[in-house]
Amino acid sequence: MDNQHNDTILKIEGVTKVYPGVCALNDVSFEVKKGQVHALMGENGAGKSTLIKVISGAIHPEKGSIWIDGKSYEHLTPARAMELGIGVIYQEFNNVPSLSVTQNVFLGKRVGGRFMFDLKEMRRRTKEIFESLGVSIPVDAMVGNLSVAQQQIVEIARALSQNIKVLIMDEPSATLAIAEVRRLFDIILKLKKQGVTIIYISHRMEEVFELADSITILRDGCHVKTCPMEGMTRKEIIRAMVGRELVEDYPSRSTQIGPPVLEVEHLTGNGDTDISLTLHKGEVLGLAGLVGAGRTELAKVIYGVTHKESGTIKLKSEPVDFRAPRDALNAGVGYISENRKTEGVFLDFPISWNITISALRRYSKLSFTNKAALENVVKSMSDRFRIKAPTMEQLVRNLSGGNQQKVALAKVLALDTDVVIFDEPTRGIDVGVKQEIYQIINEMVERGISIIMISSEMEELIGMSDRIVVLHEGRITGELEKKDFDQQKILEYASGIQH
């Protein structure tokens, strides 16, 4: 990595932020050097998101100061942070879909005279920014019509339309395909050459080793270490993040796989064509494929979100035709969506309400609800999933990403399920909570639950699956038994290369 830049662009000094019942940041201090890619890592709940908001002026700390280019600030506002050259690209983009690329790049900025915008000049500058990044996006296109990767580039261009010095990127590769990730990396390296400092937040260890010059690790709101990436190992980073040694990435299991539980035969619908697969009792069936391969689309047909056009679905040898997710849940089929914030949990309701909402009918008779039984369910599920919160009445919105995912799991498993479909179960989740999710999956399988797991992380699929089915453009292109798992072969199937 490049260590030639020794001047400090950003310094965090003694920053503390307290919320009711939790200290989000506790006397955090570290420095970031100019022109470097600086990784920020830590488990969910370590304080990364809070720190980003402090740096960008979205929240004010109780104590401490932020130094930018040698000047100290007790707190910032978002407008002041932008003036000082601080930009943030969050996981949830801030683009306006109904506006053009150019309008989004210069959103909130006036280019031209006092009473009118110089659209021609804005277009010219937008093209100039894209050229400097080595990308080509139509400047008059509606942002809502762009791909996720293109929308991300528009966000980057918006940051570059001001005098950007530090660009914070929060899980920028989480929703990108392999080729799009490579393009993102190219852009990051171009920005670095232009003297922009990147603070890169990711749970993907391989990305950090490829990109970062230095790293800061947080744990439980405290600063653990800041050091150069050179010489660091995966084990050292994990140990610093979780405070303990993780013995193995994927826990082993010795469950006996049983008879078929779910059979899909010649299924067509929601963009998929002629899909046939079988899921056995106590099995983890992995679904592999590139973004847009049809994996989530298949899950939504099975779960009744979208209706099939033809073909059959059998549950325990009996044909089923779920017209809505409620039908699937009542039959013992659960689905954990890849988008937990909009489809997995109700953010503005308490943990307890989220856990019991699906099972409410089971514990109600006429207009009476068995509150004691519901409280037992909440206690049982919160203990089983080790949900970290001061109280089960806390709003899910205020939980870390890992704990939100645990609530989504508990919500589905509060019902007796025979089949659970996991769509990207560990996306945006730190390595420590990943281990917990993997252990939960193993416990489910040992209890006889069957699992379909969709994941874009190849190592995860290979490490957790008993069999893998690969999709490409809505069709199955390959199937592999555990003894035949091979990353290259899976990628070839996912790219449509037939064997």
Side-chain angles (χ1 to χ4, degrees):
M1 291 294 174
D2 183 6
N3 292 314
Q4 63 179 334
H5 303 283
N6 293 315
D7 47 326
T8 298
I9 181 74
L10 177 69
K11 181 179 176 184
I12 307 301
E13 191 170 62
V15 167
T16 296
K17 178 64 185 175
V18 179
Y19 293 107
V22 61
C23 182
L25 294 172
N26 185 10
D27 195 28
V28 171
S29 300
F30 66 94
E31 297 181 8
V32 177
K33 305 299 182 185
K34 184 178 180 180
Q36 287 195 345
V37 177
H38 188 98
L40 180 62
M41 297 194 76
E43 293 192 88
N44 290 103
K48 303 186 300 295
S49 296
T50 304
L51 182 60
I52 292 171
K53 290 173 183 175
V54 168
I55 297 170
S56 64
I59 60 174
H60 296 168
E62 272 73 36
K63 290 195 305 181
S65 55
I66 306 140
W67 293 71
I68 301 171
D69 256 353
K71 293 183 181 179
S72 174
Y73 304 87
E74 286 188 6
H75 61 77
L76 298 166
T77 64
R80 185 67 177 129
M82 285 177 65
E83 286 173 12
L84 294 169
I86 306 293
V88 185
I89 299 173
Y90 293 100
Q91 281 181 267
E92 289 82 24
F93 299 151
N94 291 317
N95 290 318
V96 181
S98 59
L99 295 181
S100 72
V101 168
T102 297
Q103 289 168 320
N104 270 276
V105 168
F106 287 94
L107 200 63
K109 306 182 191 78
R110 181 173 292 279
V111 177
R114 185 177 175 186
F115 298 109
M116 60 186 294
F117 291 96
D118 188 340
L119 191 55
K120 185 177 179 181
E121 176 63 11
M122 289 161 62
R123 283 197 192 101
R124 187 193 67 76
R125 288 197 204 174
T126 301
K127 288 177 183 176
E128 198 174 73
I129 293 168
F130 287 155
E131 284 171 8
S132 74
L133 297 175
V135 297
S136 177
I137 297 175
V139 297
D140 293 319
M142 289 296 109
V143 164
N145 296 329
L146 301 181
S147 69
V148 171
Q150 289 174 319
Q151 289 186 40
Q152 186 180 67
I153 293 169
V154 172
E155 289 257 8
I156 294 171
R158 184 187 305 134
L160 295 179
S161 68
Q162 61 201 45
N163 184 27
I164 194 74
K165 296 176 182 176
V166 178
L167 182 61
I168 304 170
M169 307 183 84
D170 188 7
E171 296 286 351
S173 67
T175 57
L176 302 184
I178 295 169
E180 293 167 341
V181 172
R182 295 309 322 169
R183 182 166 63 173
L184 172 67
F185 287 4
D186 289 341
I187 289 172
I188 289 171
L189 293 176
K190 282 189 172 96
L191 291 174
K192 180 182 168 182
K193 285 180 181 176
Q194 293 169 19
V196 177
T197 302
I198 310 288
I199 296 179
Y200 192 86
I201 301 166
S202 178
H203 289 110
R204 294 179 175 176
M205 202 78 71
E206 67 277 7
E207 294 182 359
V208 171
F209 277 103
E210 181 170 348
L211 287 173
D213 300 287
S214 52
I215 183 170
T216 288
I217 299 171
L218 303 179
R219 183 172 71 238
D220 297 330
C222 298
H223 174 259
V224 177
K225 71 189 304 180
T226 295
C227 62
M229 277 300 296
E230 190 175 350
M232 286 292 285
T233 67
R234 180 185 173 94
K235 280 192 173 181
E236 285 176 305
I237 293 173
I238 292 172
R239 193 185 306 119
M241 285 171 58
V242 303
R244 65 188 188 278
E245 198 81 51
L246 293 181
V247 179
E248 53 185 339
D249 288 341
Y250 303 100
S252 60
R253 61 177 180 268
S254 55
T255 312
Q256 191 71 31
I257 293 173
V261 174
L262 180 73
E263 297 167 89
V264 175
E265 298 173 351
H266 305 296
L267 190 71
T268 294
N270 202 20
D272 290 329
T273 304
D274 196 26
I275 302 288
S276 295
L277 56 82
T278 302
L279 174 68
H280 297 82
K281 184 179 177 68
E283 179 184 38
V284 177
L285 175 64
L287 286 190
L290 304 177
V291 174
R295 297 167 300 165
T296 296
E297 288 75 9
L298 174 60
K300 288 187 173 181
V301 172
I302 293 173
Y303 191 58
V305 176
T306 308
H307 297 159
K308 62 183 173 64
E309 294 171 16
S310 61
T312 59
I313 302 171
K314 293 181 182 177
L315 188 64
K316 296 180 181 176
S317 301
E318 293 294 322
V320 292
D321 187 13
F322 303 138
R323 309 304 293 176
R326 170 60 61 186
D327 298 337
L329 272 175
N330 289 339
V333 177
Y335 175 51
I336 314 291
S337 169
E338 65 176 327
N339 193 340
R340 59 177 173 262
K341 288 183 183 291
T342 57
E343 298 176 0
V345 291
F346 297 89
L347 292 174
D348 293 315
F349 286 83
I351 299 166
S352 58
W353 188 92
N354 271 273
I355 290 175
T356 56
I357 184 61
S358 296
L360 199 58
R361 189 177 298 176
R362 176 173 300 175
Y363 298 99
S364 302
K365 191 172 184 180
L366 299 177
S367 59
F368 298 98
T369 301
N370 189 335
K371 291 185 179 179
L374 288 176
E375 286 172 4
N376 286 336
V377 170
V378 172
K379 176 73 166 60
S380 171
M381 288 294 167
S382 64
D383 289 348
R384 180 176 166 192
F385 291 104
R386 296 179 286 278
I387 297 169
K388 294 179 182 176
T391 166
M392 290 299 106
E393 297 313 304
Q394 181 164 331
L395 299 185
V396 172
R397 177 179 299 283
N398 297 327
L399 297 178
S400 67
N403 280 296
Q404 286 181 3
Q405 183 72 325
K406 289 180 182 180
V407 172
L409 278 167
K411 178 167 153 284
V412 169
L413 296 181
L415 290 162
D416 291 330
T417 47
D418 299 306
V419 173
V420 176
I421 305 170
F422 284 91
D423 198 346
E424 302 289 357
T426 64
R427 174 175 287 169
I429 290 175
D430 63 77
V431 67
V433 179
K434 276 187 179 184
Q435 284 279 308
E436 292 185 55
I437 299 292
Y438 297 151
Q439 197 57 55
I440 288 166
I441 288 172
N442 277 5
E443 289 169 7
M444 291 166 62
V445 168
E446 285 165 8
R447 290 171 50 215
I449 296 173
S450 306
I451 291 171
I452 294 175
M453 188 171 78
I454 300 168
S455 177
S456 298
E457 293 192 29
M458 189 71 72
E459 285 186 14
E460 181 172 82
L461 273 180
I462 291 173
M464 290 299 295
S465 302
D466 296 300
R467 272 186 309 127
I468 293 176
V469 169
V470 190
L471 276 73
H472 171 72
E473 294 184 351
R475 294 179 181 271
I476 291 177
T477 50
E479 182 174 332
L480 297 96
E481 300 290 336
K482 198 169 189 72
K483 61 182 175 60
D484 300 319
F485 285 177
D486 176 84
Q487 186 164 333
Q488 183 63 33
K489 194 178 291 186
I490 293 169
L491 283 171
E492 287 175 359
Y493 282 136
S495 301
I497 299 173
Q498 302 291 328
H499 286 262

